[in-house]
Amino acid sequence: MTDNFSMSSDWRRQVLDICMPGIRNLADELEAQVHVEWQKTEPHPYSRPPSQLMKDVYSEVDPETGVITVGDSAPYALDVEFDTKPHIIKAHGNYSLRSGSHYFGQIVHHPGTKAQPYLRPIVYRVYPDLHR
């Protein structure tokens, strides 16, 4: 049994090595097309200015599986794409939390946010047959 598994593993590795350049090209193409589609999306589904999101979209290929990951490196990208649960925000010093001219105190009980998907709809529009 072990011999069959190692042969199978070697075979998978060889196929992946042969296919990897094409997979990387596909990942680069997907990343570029996501940028193009984002520019066409009006109005943008998220309330912040579009420059805040999709600024650093990236694609990665897992060398072991060939799985392509497309993401956005904005620090709050996952929170926008999915959602946030209610949570507490605390000041890191002896000062009030604020947003512009609005002051909230040192602790805020944030109600959470509703998901506002922006990346997945674009990826699925570009490649409708992708595994979801």
Side-chain angles (χ1 to χ4, degrees):
M1 271 310 208
T2 307
D3 291 338
N4 286 342
F5 179 78
S6 91
M7 276 182 31
S8 176
S9 180
D10 289 344
W11 178 80
R12 274 188 250 138
R13 177 80 264 158
Q14 290 173 356
V15 169
L16 196 54
D17 288 346
I18 291 168
C19 295
M20 192 55 75
I23 294 170
R24 288 191 198 285
N25 287 341
L26 179 62
D28 292 344
E29 179 183 318
L30 178 58
E31 182 181 328
Q33 288 184 350
V34 164
H35 275 291
V36 168
E37 285 296 316
W38 174 255
Q39 298 306 319
K40 293 181 195 176
T41 304
E42 291 291 339
H44 290 282
Y46 184 56
S47 57
R48 290 192 190 205
S51 61
Q52 298 294 315
L53 290 171
M54 301 294 285
K55 196 175 194 177
D56 293 314
V57 171
Y58 64 89
S59 62
E60 297 175 341
V61 179
D62 184 323
E64 297 301 314
T65 63
V67 171
I68 298 171
T69 301
V70 176
D72 186 343
S73 60
Y76 51 85
L78 287 176
D79 296 339
V80 174
E81 186 73 19
F82 297 101
D83 64 9
T84 62
K85 304 296 180 222
H87 56 281
I88 295 174
I89 303 172
K90 294 181 183 179
H92 292 284
N94 192 18
Y95 53 85
S96 294
L97 296 167
R98 68 180 185 141
S99 177
S101 62
H102 296 87
Y103 289 83
F104 302 106
Q106 288 189 304
I107 296 177
V108 173
H109 294 273
H110 195 285
T113 57
K114 185 179 175 185
Q116 299 175 61
Y118 68 98
L119 185 57
R120 287 175 298 157
I122 290 173
V123 170
Y124 296 142
R125 199 165 53 237
V126 172
Y127 287 102
D129 297 330
L130 281 180
H131 177 68
R132 297 176 190 215

